[in-house]
Amino acid sequence: MEWFTSSDYWLSRLVFQRGLAAVYLIAFLVAARQGRALLGERGLTPVPRFLDRVPFRRSPSLFQLHYSDRFFVCCAWLGAVLSAALLVGAADRAPLAVAMAAWLVLWLLYLSIVNVGQVWYGFGWESLLLESGFLAVFLGNEHTAPPVLILWLTRWLLFRVEFGAGLIKIRGDRCWRDLTCLYYHHETQPMPGPLSWYFHHLPKPLHRVEVAANHVAQLIVPVVLFTPQPVASVAAGIVVVTQLWLVASGNFSWLNWLTILLALPAVDGRRAAEALGLPGPPDLAAPPVWYEAVVLAATALVLVLSYWPARNLLSGRQLMNLSFNPVHLVNTYGAFGSVNRSRQEVVIQGTDEAVLTPDTVWQDYEFRGKPGDVRRLPRQYAPYHLRLDWMMWFAGLSPGYAGSWFTPLIGKLLVNDRATVRLLRANPFPGTPPTHLRARLYLYRFTTRAERRATGAWWHRTLLSEFLPPVRLEDHGSSRG
């Protein structure tokens, strides 16, 4: 079948697969470094407890067959090593079947982690990585030209990511329609970056232009991805530029980088190679019959599963970031259907005083990414994902988001649990655990330019209410779990 492959996209496939391997590598490193504290047998939401109540059919995972902290970490490191091998081109040096098997193992390993990850893995970019990784299994390697059908499916995935996000905004918060959402977003987003203060203080007319440009990028450009070349390449370039703008203005894990990678298969690799002065595609053999059959079967599967997200896009009750099946294939995406007008932060504080008095000195626990110390410039962590920091942002929105893990977190801090403390930037009680802990809810806002010059602070905070009254280890039944 001459139409089955196109050598014009050999460079696009190469960059996409190497970049995807890099994202997988980061994702597995996050799991290896944070998994024990969050999900371990003595973690905040233990996997064994989850497996006791959730059957395999609802959450297929290798850990349904066996779980131990050591096995979890071994799977995470195996995924990291295999990702690193694919990143440096191991798949292109292996037979086609072996390369496909390697990508499939990565997908199975990460699916196993996501499906026991509970609230810590409830983010849309987990499903996006899994769906992208599934398509990568069928893209082949240097032994054959890229299959056209899978290239089109990557565009369909990118379309759902961008168009779904655009629709959820237009259908959601009024500020997206009156172009004022960016008056608030840079300040209230889950984890601001080092440039977010500066983005927030851009002139309001420019913020309105940003929102209008976002609507164009998410509601018009995705449709253009399905047009002939070179127009589709231009559309992909616009996606890349807008995603880089988001990378500069905040920390959204690997969401933006993965979206950039998904735009690359829509770029005409032959023209790109010519523009960069690179050699043309190598001589590629015709694909084997078994490979054609597998690609056709995968395409048919994706088309059938596309019914549910397509219906969701057309629905007036559009859902955001939802998987319609337990293996996270052909999902619906979207973000920021509503934008917060103010930022509320939960600040955990401790003291080593035996008896509490009105003069008791309380010290803050500092997290790596979320705002805490008002004089500390927000850091850039994406594409690395600080899962606890993100969930702390949700806790600031509503205590209901913290119901399953906040009490165990307090218990771990009361005993200076080593794995939990490693998730933090600073533990004010490194030697002896605190005698009491409490949590308070603060209103955070970016300082003005004048406040910044006068105080050196990036944030200003105002106490709103008590989130958790002072507790001791003796009063905390779950702290020893």
Side-chain angles (χ1 to χ4, degrees):
M1 295 184 287
E2 294 183 359
W3 59 269
F4 186 80
T5 59
S6 174
S7 60
D8 288 349
Y9 293 89
W10 67 275
L11 181 61
S12 306
R13 176 184 63 185
L14 173 68
V15 179
F16 171 74
Q17 287 187 321
R18 299 295 176 88
L20 183 61
V23 174
Y24 259 134
L25 174 59
I26 293 168
F28 282 113
L29 288 176
V30 169
R33 293 175 59 85
Q34 301 178 29
R36 186 184 296 270
L38 301 178
L39 299 166
E41 293 163 300
R42 300 176 63 84
L44 300 183
T45 59
V47 169
R49 191 183 303 166
F50 171 80
L51 295 177
D52 284 343
R53 65 178 187 272
V54 180
F56 183 91
R57 68 178 183 278
R58 283 178 48 198
S59 188
S61 170
L62 292 173
F63 303 117
Q64 292 274 7
L65 307 176
H66 170 74
Y67 180 83
S68 69
D69 288 354
R70 178 173 295 181
F71 183 56
F72 182 95
V73 171
C74 286
C75 286
W77 280 113
L78 173 61
V81 170
L82 184 55
S83 300
L86 296 177
L87 175 60
V88 299
D92 289 328
R93 299 182 183 93
L96 177 59
V98 174
M100 294 176 67
W103 283 106
L104 182 60
V105 169
L106 275 187
W107 181 78
L108 288 171
L109 287 172
Y110 200 65
L111 175 69
S112 293
I113 292 172
V114 169
N115 275 352
V116 298
Q118 304 164 73
V119 296
W120 313 105
Y121 281 79
F123 302 94
W125 48 75
E126 316 294 355
S127 295
L128 184 59
L129 177 53
L130 285 170
E131 188 170 351
S132 303
F134 180 79
L135 294 178
V137 174
F138 307 98
L139 271 175
N141 62 1
E142 285 189 354
H143 294 282
T144 184
V148 171
L149 293 174
I150 303 301
L151 293 173
W152 281 105
L153 292 181
T154 61
R155 295 192 202 188
W156 168 230
L157 173 53
L158 179 60
F159 174 87
R160 281 181 280 122
V161 171
E162 291 287 83
F163 197 69
L167 283 180
I168 204 73
K169 291 181 175 69
I170 290 294
R171 289 168 168 166
D173 203 317
R174 181 177 178 178
C175 70
W176 289 114
R177 297 188 292 276
D178 63 24
L179 308 183
T180 61
C181 272
L182 291 189
Y183 292 1
Y184 322 100
H185 168 73
H186 297 302
E187 181 178 69
T188 63
Q189 63 182 308
M191 195 179 300
L195 298 180
S196 298
W197 185 92
Y198 300 96
F199 275 89
H200 178 69
H201 288 297
L202 290 174
K204 286 189 174 180
L206 183 53
H207 282 318
R208 296 173 70 90
V209 171
E210 286 182 89
V211 177
N214 178 85
H215 293 331
V216 172
Q218 294 192 320
L219 294 172
I220 297 176
V221 171
V223 178
V224 184
L225 290 168
F226 298 101
T227 60
Q229 298 292 1
V231 180
S233 293
V234 174
I238 294 174
V239 171
V240 171
V241 170
T242 56
Q243 291 298 316
L244 288 174
W245 185 267
L246 296 174
V247 167
S249 63
N251 281 287
F252 295 100
S253 186
W254 51 77
L255 173 63
N256 305 124
W257 291 108
L258 195 48
T259 306
I260 289 171
L261 290 173
L262 284 168
L264 299 183
V267 174
D268 187 331
R270 186 183 296 274
R271 286 191 173 96
E274 291 173 355
L276 296 172
L278 299 175
D283 292 331
L284 298 169
V289 174
W290 66 264
Y291 176 64
E292 293 179 347
V294 169
V295 168
L296 289 172
T299 302
L301 174 64
V302 171
L303 291 178
V304 170
L305 295 177
S306 293
Y307 168 76
W308 288 272
R311 184 180 64 174
N312 182 66
L313 287 175
L314 298 174
S315 171
R317 298 181 178 180
Q318 180 189 357
L319 300 173
M320 184 174 67
N321 291 328
L322 179 70
S323 296
F324 297 96
N325 53 76
V327 291
H328 298 267
L329 293 183
V330 199
N331 314 288
T332 186
Y333 302 97
F336 295 105
S338 62
V339 173
N340 300 318
R341 273 41 171 193
S342 61
R343 181 181 200 92
Q344 297 183 171
E345 287 287 347
V346 177
V347 177
I348 300 174
Q349 300 173 327
T351 182
D352 56 5
E353 298 178 20
V355 179
L356 299 184
T357 70
D359 297 323
T360 293
V361 176
W362 294 89
Q363 299 184 64
D364 292 358
Y365 282 82
E366 286 290 330
F367 288 74
R368 297 182 183 276
K370 94 174 194 69
D373 181 358
V374 296
R375 300 175 67 88
R376 182 172 182 255
L377 175 69
R379 300 298 195 263
Q380 184 67 43
Y381 280 96
Y384 192 83
H385 186 22
L386 298 170
R387 299 189 181 279
L388 179 59
D389 293 60
W390 267 78
M391 293 308 299
M392 287 293 293
W393 177 77
F394 283 106
L397 298 179
S398 169
Y401 288 114
S404 65
W405 56 268
F406 191 78
T407 298
L409 172 64
I410 295 299
K412 299 297 182 183
L413 296 181
L414 280 168
V415 296
N416 269 358
D417 178 72
R418 181 181 301 178
T420 304
V421 168
R422 284 177 178 171
L423 299 177
L424 306 179
R425 174 176 176 264
N427 174 15
F429 308 97
T432 304
T435 57
H436 298 78
L437 286 181
R438 72 180 184 185
R440 313 190 94 184
L441 189 65
Y442 286 86
L443 175 68
Y444 271 67
R445 63 167 176 82
F446 277 135
T447 53
T448 64
R449 288 186 174 87
E451 290 172 329
R452 171 86 183 99
R453 287 192 298 268
T455 66
W458 300 97
W459 297 97
H460 178 277
R461 76 181 191 181
T462 304
L463 179 63
L464 292 177
S465 62
E466 190 173 64
F467 189 86
L468 177 73
V471 294
R472 302 175 303 165
L473 180 62
E474 293 79 4
D475 304 327
H476 203 278
S478 65
S479 62
R480 302 180 187 276

